[in-house]
Amino acid sequence: MAVFMTGATGFLGTETAERLLRNSEDTIYALVRGKDKEDTVHRLKALWYDKKELYAEIGKRIIPLAGDFTKPKLGLRAADISMLKGQISKIYHLGAQTGIQKSCKELMSINRNGTGHVVSFARKINVNGSLSRFVFVSTAYTAGTRSGLILETDPPPDRYSTYYEQSKGLAEKLVMESGLPYTVCRPGMIVGDSKTGWIRQFNTVYYILKLM
């Protein structure tokens, strides 16, 4: 079987792809923005030049597909969608806009609507229950403005602190109501690898460290 990923070019996507490569024998289809296959291969190689294991498997076990999850059908060619039907056992939706300063329109378009497109795609390729798990990476901050003990099973809040939190909360709702076998992951602040220190972008806590 194979797995399908969005967000493979980001830090979390890169780390996930690396672990999937080491700990499974699955083929990894990675949705990558680009004009065509050649463009997506070039982009992955440019981003993974320092990741020897990943770099070596581009075009082999790691197959980039030109597309964009903010578009209907993920911007994939009909031939690619047909090829993936019944072949994907897990989907990892890691792609997102995480900039809390971005506009409500942009955050909703990418995080909420984009997740909706991935859910629709998952339903389309889920032939005879071939899809065993839809993994959605959300955020720990979907608790909104509530305080006190908040359970994972509690309903979504009425109010959020930022449009980013709201967009991820609404995306979670789409996943939970999809009818697919899902797992929602809610990480807090994501920083570098705890063992190697590797990080793709120096944001979040690193802004504070720069000032010290």
Side-chain angles (χ1 to χ4, degrees):
M1 297 296 284
V3 302
F4 181 90
M5 290 182 62
T6 70
T9 58
F11 171 71
L12 189 59
T14 297
E15 291 292 303
T16 301
E18 198 166 40
R19 283 160 174 74
L20 287 171
L21 199 63
R22 291 174 183 171
N23 301 319
S24 77
E25 297 181 357
D26 294 331
T27 299
I28 303 168
Y29 289 96
L31 186 74
V32 180
R33 281 179 294 175
K35 295 178 294 184
D36 49 33
K37 183 177 180 179
E38 183 179 354
D39 193 28
T40 59
V41 167
H42 177 76
R43 188 173 183 213
L44 273 189
K45 284 185 174 181
L47 288 168
W48 288 350
Y49 73 93
D50 56 345
K51 293 285 188 178
K52 294 181 180 180
E53 287 181 86
L54 292 175
Y55 190 96
E57 292 297 333
I58 296 173
K60 298 175 184 177
R61 276 188 60 196
I62 300 174
I63 302 175
L65 297 174
D68 185 341
F69 70 83
T70 66
K71 298 179 180 180
K73 299 181 182 179
L74 310 189
L76 289 167
R77 299 182 308 146
D80 287 333
I81 294 175
S82 180
M83 177 267 296
L84 294 171
K85 283 184 178 178
Q87 301 301 313
I88 303 298
S89 62
K90 296 182 183 69
I91 290 176
Y92 295 86
H93 179 33
L94 297 93
Q97 172 56 265
T98 59
I100 61 172
Q101 78 283 5
K102 298 296 184 180
S103 68
C104 177
K105 181 179 180 181
E106 182 177 353
L107 287 163
M108 292 299 173
S109 174
I110 296 174
N111 294 341
R112 181 193 63 188
N113 300 347
T115 298
H117 294 320
V118 182
V119 166
S120 296
F121 164 78
R123 289 195 185 112
K124 193 174 186 67
I125 65 166
N126 185 23
V127 178
N128 298 323
S130 57
L131 185 68
S132 63
R133 186 62 43 181
F134 184 104
V135 180
F136 173 57
V137 177
S138 183
T139 173
Y141 306 108
T142 53
T145 58
R146 293 174 294 184
S147 61
L149 179 63
I150 303 169
L151 302 178
E152 291 185 357
T153 53
D154 286 350
D158 296 322
R159 297 179 61 189
Y160 294 88
S161 299
T162 66
Y163 289 128
Y164 166 67
E165 295 171 10
Q166 184 180 22
S167 68
K168 296 296 276 187
L170 293 174
E172 281 190 13
K173 190 171 185 290
L174 291 176
V175 173
M176 292 175 179
E177 295 177 351
S178 67
L180 298 168
Y182 70 85
T183 296
V184 173
C185 304
R186 294 181 177 132
M189 189 178 293
I190 297 176
V191 294
D193 188 295
S194 62
K195 294 181 180 179
T196 66
W198 185 82
I199 185 69
R200 183 174 297 286
Q201 292 180 312
F202 288 88
N203 51 20
T204 61
V205 70
Y206 297 103
Y207 286 133
I208 301 171
L209 294 177
K210 286 180 181 180
L211 299 174
M212 296 175 66

